Amino acid sequence: MKRTTQRLILAFALVMLIALVQSGCVNQMPILVYDDSYLNFAQTALDTLMYSYTTTTDAATFQDALTSREWGLVIFDNPNMNISPDLLTVLEDYVVRGGRFIASSWSIGNYPGHGLWAELGYSFTTTYYNLNDVNRLSVEEPIIDSPFVAPDLVITSVTDMYGTNGYPGSAIGSGRAIASFNSSTAADQGAVFVANDGRTILNAFLLADAYDYYGPNGAIDTNGNGLADAMEWWLDEISYVSAQPGKNIKPSAVLPMGNSRSVLGNNM
């Protein structure tokens, strides 16, 4: 009975979500996705929302697409491959010019002082090499309460896939932390940062960690609704940011020749 009830609740929620998206017109803004993950949680969230988007999976193609036209939203899911700091500079230009942007990236650990992070309302504290849970700072947080109430991410319950896993930091500028590592209330232990009047979100950890890669449990689903918790976080963040005022932006291609396409390694 319990599983049947959960499935009925999930089916009802998905039907309501689809109805809301359709009645409000399916999102028409041009969306660019960079995704070097294995599980594609962000793309699954976009599919659930019935948003159209362009996907890239390597740095060169992403750079070419990013600088080829205007984009209304850029999603940067980067748990696996190292990105050139020059490409981060192009993303910084996109944000500074008014673009909507959501990121989960281990490039924070490689380039903690890069200007992109400050533009996203974040200042680096340290790198966590072990898995740490990510907890909501408020029981009620509109950004991660709609269309699903995203649960805390109990990442310590799974086996580790990646070499670095979290980059706690402090909110600066227009930034506001909405989640922290291990329920910490310390100002320098923030894990998720909203900035720029809601048009940017930085996940200072790897949402792709919320999967038991080497164990039996698969995707973390702590609320038992049949949806991966990481996908719910992406879905809520995408829903929120895409609804905020912003511009379709074509960033400047200001990268030095020979550096713009570099992919330096693998986070293993």
Side-chain angles (χ1 to χ4, degrees):
M1 285 297 293
K2 186 176 180 181
R3 288 187 178 179
T4 300
T5 301
Q6 289 172 349
R7 287 170 181 165
L8 288 172
I9 292 171
L10 174 58
F12 176 77
L14 289 174
V15 168
M16 289 299 295
L17 174 60
I18 292 170
L20 286 170
V21 172
Q22 290 177 333
S23 65
C25 297
V26 175
N27 182 279
Q28 295 297 314
M29 74 169 63
I31 298 174
L32 176 63
V33 177
Y34 175 80
D35 187 353
D36 59 36
S37 72
Y38 294 110
L39 297 168
N40 313 125
F41 286 133
Q43 293 182 62
T44 302
L46 287 163
D47 291 338
T48 303
L49 288 165
M50 297 168 45
Y51 286 4
S52 60
Y53 57 95
T54 299
T55 304
T56 60
T57 58
D58 68 90
T61 306
F62 176 63
Q63 176 201 314
D64 289 343
L66 182 62
T67 57
S68 69
R69 57 165 292 179
E70 294 181 341
W71 298 99
L73 171 62
V74 174
I75 295 171
F76 189 60
D77 191 9
N78 166 227
N80 196 49
M81 299 300 293
N82 187 19
I83 299 298
S84 162
D86 297 314
L87 182 51
L88 297 181
T89 299
V90 176
L91 288 169
E92 179 184 357
D93 182 65
Y94 173 79
V95 172
V96 169
R97 290 170 181 258
R100 302 177 189 85
F101 183 65
I102 309 172
S104 171
S105 174
W106 79 285
S107 294
I108 299 171
N110 256 13
Y111 310 107
H114 196 281
L116 172 61
W117 319 128
E119 290 298 329
L120 299 176
Y122 162 89
S123 177
F124 174 84
T125 299
T126 190
T127 294
Y128 284 149
Y129 291 92
N130 297 317
L131 294 169
N132 290 266
D133 294 340
V134 174
N135 304 94
R136 303 157 61 103
L137 282 172
S138 173
V139 174
E140 295 183 2
E141 172 52 66
I143 294 172
I144 46 177
D145 279 350
S146 178
F148 296 103
V149 178
D152 291 340
L153 289 167
V154 189
I155 296 174
T156 51
S157 67
V158 301
T159 51
D160 191 7
M161 174 69 174
Y162 301 102
T164 66
N165 304 99
Y167 317 96
S170 303
I172 59 173
S174 66
R176 177 173 69 92
I178 63 171
S180 69
F181 290 97
N182 306 315
S183 297
S184 174
T185 57
D188 64 353
Q189 291 295 303
V192 181
F193 298 83
V194 181
N196 299 295
D197 296 320
R199 63 178 172 81
T200 66
I201 294 179
L202 173 65
N203 298 281
F205 69 101
L206 307 182
L207 276 157
D209 270 329
Y211 189 90
D212 196 12
Y213 290 93
Y214 300 115
N217 299 318
I220 299 173
D221 178 19
T222 55
N223 56 10
N225 66 357
L227 300 175
D229 293 348
M231 192 278 280
E232 290 185 66
W233 277 72
W234 275 116
L235 194 151
D236 286 354
E237 291 180 359
I238 292 167
S239 297
Y240 180 81
V241 170
S242 63
Q244 303 310 305
K247 302 175 182 177
N248 291 354
I249 300 296
K250 178 182 178 182
S252 297
V254 294
L255 306 188
M257 291 297 292
N259 291 334
S260 62
R261 294 173 177 267
S262 61
V263 177
L264 304 178
N266 189 290
N267 180 23
M268 296 294 289

